[in-house]
Amino acid sequence: MKFKKFFSLTLSVFLFCSLVYAEKITFSAGTMSGQAGSKNTTTKLSGNAYILTETMEISSDSIELSGEDYRYIKADGNVVGKNLKTNMEFTCANLEYDRESKVASLKGSVKLEDKDNDVKASAQMIEYNQETNIAVLQIGINLTQKDNVCTAAYAVYQKDQQMLELSGNAQIKQNDDTFRAQHITLDMDTQEITLDGNVKGSVKDTKQIAETDGTNSEEKSENNQERKGN
């Protein structure tokens, strides 16, 4: 017998589910409303919405869970989250997460931080695959790691391999050195940079600077000795 249940709660609610994906979900909110069917469910959390799975922790103004066994999670407004498996933290305006494919789509002033490798990135859109540990960044990208400041229109960050691919007005700054090309690959472990297509750049001659500084120091020393002699 098929049935539907409608409910609205105005208090903090905690729900524990045994799911097809062998994962337990815990969530809470000021208000919860939705409908439940025999196979597909839809639940909306509003007001300090919070959800915790075995791999993801998300808080937002509102969160919607839908699909069979709450496969899909959608969060809107002041989204703050953490991937507990890969130690990646993020903030954004909107999030969509597929618990089966383990793919999260982040949109709107996205900030992503890889705590394990001290990598910080911002973009308008980021798609992160939890299974492959690969993040695809689009539009207005700024990524920092060690002395590297990387900008581009499109980028692919591979967390496990510590490789970064940039394209579309790609640029990497390392202190006073700047590298530009249509496509740039950065090995974040070795700091090796590969440039391809319309390559440009500028590198400061540190040896010349050191020699200049040494000359200036000698001149200053001589001047000081002359002053003392006078």
Side-chain angles (χ1 to χ4, degrees), residues 174-207:
Q174 293 181 332
N175 296 319
D176 295 324
D177 301 337
T178 302
F179 306 93
R180 299 185 182 91
Q182 291 179 352
H183 184 87
I184 301 177
T185 301
L186 170 65
D187 186 323
M188 293 176 154
D189 285 330
T190 65
Q191 298 298 296
E192 180 181 350
I193 298 176
T194 303
L195 308 174
D196 182 36
N198 195 24
V199 177
K200 298 179 181 178
S202 61
V203 179
K204 183 169 287 188
D205 190 343
T206 55
K207 182 179 179 182

Side-chain angles (χ1 to χ4, degrees), residues 15-20 22-27 69-70 99:
L15 182 60
F16 301 87
C17 302
S18 178
L19 302 168
V20 174
E23 187 175 47
K24 180 175 71 175
I25 287 183
T26 304
F27 55 84
D69 296 307
Y70 295 122
R99 294 194 309 106

Side-chain angles (χ1 to χ4, degrees), residues 48-82:
N48 296 318
Y50 172 83
I51 185 167
L52 175 67
T53 72
E54 292 180 3
T55 58
M56 291 283 280
E57 184 178 28
I58 303 167
S59 62
S60 180
D61 292 342
S62 66
I63 298 176
E64 181 180 278
L65 300 94
S66 62
E68 186 173 359
D69 296 307
Y70 295 122
R71 174 179 174 177
Y72 304 106
I73 297 173
K74 182 179 179 181
D76 292 301
N78 299 308
V79 180
V80 178
K82 181 177 182 179

